[in-house]
Amino acid sequence: MADTALMSIPGQVDPVPVARSITPRADGRIDLLGLPKARIAELFAQAGLDAKQAKLRSKQVYHWLYHRGATDFGAMTDIAKTMQPWLAERFVVGRPNIVEAQHSSDGTRKWLLQTDDGHDYEMVFIPDADRGTLCVSSQVGCTLNCTFCHTGTMRLVRNLTPGEIVGQVMLARDALGEWPKGRMDISEVEDETEYRADGRLLTNIVMMGMGEPLYNFDHVRDALQLVMDGDGLALSKRRITLSTSGVVPMMARCGEEIGVNLAVSLHAVTKEVRDEIVPINRKYGIDELLRACSDYPGASNARRITFEYVMLKDKNDSDQDAHELVRLLKRYDLPAKVNLIPFNPWPGAPYECSTPERIRSFSNIVFEAGISAPVRTPRGRDIDAACGQLRTSAEKKSRAERDREATASAS
């Protein structure tokens, strides 16, 4: 039974963040996943190591944790064998608990994960010919109540910790077998023939899973700093995109303190329609949002802001809407790209997807104005992994049902 109460928060009020950065474990050990090197050193010192030893051991453990993907202190070969049991008694290097893993017919993979205190969330891996994108969640549930989004029909339970966020990346690396196999000692220099960053299946990360990343800013920032650290997971910030529905006060901090690419869930060009389908618009309107986009640090023609636009039949898909979208983007002189997303249906959804002809007409109008407007190919629809479909299947399946499905799949 989960021991964290639901946050009773309506969609137009900023949620109060959960301050804790580590989820307590039943065995009393501290999970080091999601912690920076300095914090690991502090914990080692608090556990009894002198300052010099704590600093050395933290450097070693950090390397094994984030660069090598090790989860067992016994595998950390440059740490004395007498020290390994001491670490294992007090600490652990965890991973998200996997409740269910699904494969789509198009190669998309979705994992239903569970926190140590019993809450479910999801992540999705989308392979393409020249890249592989991991869609990462930042919260359990969501508070935004976007009416076209299945995830938005959930209540917000709590923020994910840095460990629970970066753990999704670690778990994907585990599943894809993408940890380096070269030399083990951090004092040695790896040869490029032993391990290179290119050729990976996981090349990009999008903070577009469950939750609003900017409502969990500190934990998302801390997790992504570990992902981007050259001594850690070492993924370039140019390969990471954070998506927001428009938490305007946090957007500048996102650019300054994280520096990743920005995607904005726009989805409508009039106050009336956006108020309905993206209720945060009632607090931070379209003009305020686009001003924040124009001020976003690092935005340029080389690093354009992506505007997500879900295509809803007879709601936001007219030629007039397309012309207004162009007018708005040009008015604010935004280095922009528009992703047109065919609506992904879910049971009880109040909308239908625009017709292919309507989507094509909309796209052509934006393209002709000199703004890229590709139509996103839906992926993972058969396992509810497509954009807007994430909503933990634990609510729909019992454990016994999942076990039966796993047995049938294995046989």
Side-chain angles (χ1 to χ4, degrees):
M1 179 72 177
D3 62 5
T4 306
L6 290 170
M7 294 181 181
S8 182
I9 302 166
Q12 285 72 60
V13 177
D14 291 346
V16 178
V18 176
R20 72 181 184 204
S21 60
I22 301 173
T23 299
R25 291 174 52 89
D27 61 11
R29 293 186 295 172
I30 297 174
D31 193 342
L32 299 179
L33 186 63
L35 302 183
K37 198 179 304 178
R39 179 59 178 149
I40 294 174
E42 287 177 5
L43 291 171
F44 286 177
Q46 291 170 11
L49 295 183
D50 63 50
K52 185 176 180 180
Q53 275 286 308
K55 183 176 180 180
L56 172 62
R57 298 308 179 196
S58 67
K59 181 179 179 181
Q60 293 171 317
V61 169
Y62 184 91
H63 173 83
W64 282 97
L65 196 166
Y66 296 113
H67 191 66
R68 298 291 182 180
T71 58
D72 181 1
F73 292 111
M76 301 180 184
T77 54
D78 57 351
I79 295 179
K81 289 187 176 181
T82 55
M83 175 61 64
Q84 292 169 357
W86 183 91
L87 289 168
E89 288 172 7
R90 295 162 176 79
F91 304 99
V92 65
V93 178
R95 287 290 189 272
N97 304 303
I98 301 175
V99 178
E100 183 179 32
Q102 295 177 277
H103 284 72
S104 168
S105 58
D106 64 18
T108 299
R109 302 173 70 173
K110 182 174 80 168
W111 288 265
L112 173 62
L113 308 174
Q114 191 171 83
T115 64
D116 284 334
D117 58 351
H119 297 301
D120 296 329
Y121 59 106
E122 294 176 336
M123 75 175 194
V124 175
F125 176 70
I126 307 167
D128 281 307
D130 60 346
R131 68 171 59 191
T133 302
L134 185 69
C135 184
V136 175
S137 292
S138 57
Q139 295 180 310
V140 180
C142 189
T143 190
L144 293 177
N145 300 332
C146 297
T147 55
F148 64 88
C149 179
H150 200 198
T151 314
T153 65
M154 300 178 66
R155 295 183 65 190
L156 177 65
V157 179
R158 70 165 172 84
N159 289 334
L160 292 176
T161 67
E164 290 160 350
I165 295 169
V166 76
Q168 297 170 65
V169 185
M170 310 286 277
L171 185 61
R173 283 267 182 93
D174 292 346
L176 297 170
E178 294 203 321
W179 295 108
K181 304 295 193 296
R183 297 170 183 164
M184 296 293 110
D185 193 327
I186 65 172
S187 65
E188 297 185 67
V189 178
E190 291 181 333
D191 187 273
E192 286 189 353
T193 60
E194 293 173 329
Y195 174 67
R196 293 188 300 170
D198 59 357
R200 289 179 181 171
L201 296 174
L202 198 170
T203 61
N204 294 70
I205 291 173
V206 292
M207 296 299 305
M208 295 183 185
M210 296 170 63
E212 164 55 63
L214 296 188
Y215 274 154
N216 187 17
F217 179 81
D218 289 349
H219 289 178
V220 168
R221 176 199 59 207
D222 293 349
L224 291 182
Q225 285 176 347
L226 295 172
V227 172
M228 297 183 290
D229 186 357
D231 292 331
L233 289 161
L235 192 66
S236 168
K237 66 182 180 181
R238 294 181 179 274
R239 291 188 172 271
I240 301 173
T241 299
L242 183 146
S243 177
T244 179
S245 290
V247 185
V248 169
M250 302 303 297
M251 288 170 61
R253 283 189 64 191
C254 177
E256 293 163 358
E257 298 181 32
I258 308 177
V260 295
N261 302 316
L262 182 69
V264 174
S265 295
L266 188 60
H267 305 308
V269 293
T270 66
K271 173 176 170 52
E272 179 185 13
V273 176
R274 196 164 192 267
D275 279 356
E276 173 192 335
I277 67 177
V278 188
I280 196 175
N281 193 70
R282 301 170 195 167
K283 185 168 187 178
Y284 307 114
I286 294 175
D287 287 327
E288 188 177 1
L289 172 59
L290 295 181
R291 279 196 299 272
C293 290
S294 67
D295 294 335
Y296 187 73
S300 65
N301 287 328
R303 297 187 66 193
R304 292 174 293 173
I305 295 174
T306 299
F307 289 91
E308 309 285 349
Y309 199 98
V310 66
M311 300 300 294
L312 304 174
K313 183 178 180 181
D314 299 329
K315 178 60 66 173
N316 65 352
D317 62 350
S318 69
D319 286 353
Q320 182 179 353
D321 290 320
H323 286 296
E324 177 62 9
L325 176 59
V326 169
R327 187 191 71 81
L328 286 170
L329 297 181
K330 288 186 176 295
R331 175 185 176 188
Y332 288 95
D333 194 25
L334 289 167
K337 170 187 175 181
V338 178
N339 265 351
L340 299 179
I341 307 167
F343 174 63
N344 295 304
W346 41 270
Y351 305 107
E352 296 179 37
C353 183
S354 305
T355 64
E357 295 77 19
R358 182 93 300 275
I359 296 174
R360 192 178 309 115
S361 176
F362 194 105
S363 176
N364 287 341
I365 290 170
V366 181
F367 262 124
E368 288 168 4
I371 300 170
S372 177
V375 179
R376 182 185 296 176
T377 302
R379 301 289 299 275
R381 275 182 168 177
D382 55 330
I383 57 171
D384 290 338
C387 182
Q389 288 187 316
L390 292 190
R391 189 174 194 266
T392 53
S393 55
E395 296 184 1
K396 297 178 285 184
K397 296 181 184 178
S398 68
R399 179 76 227 192
E401 287 175 314
R402 290 194 295 270
D403 288 344
R404 284 195 296 271
E405 290 180 0
T407 301
S409 176
S411 62

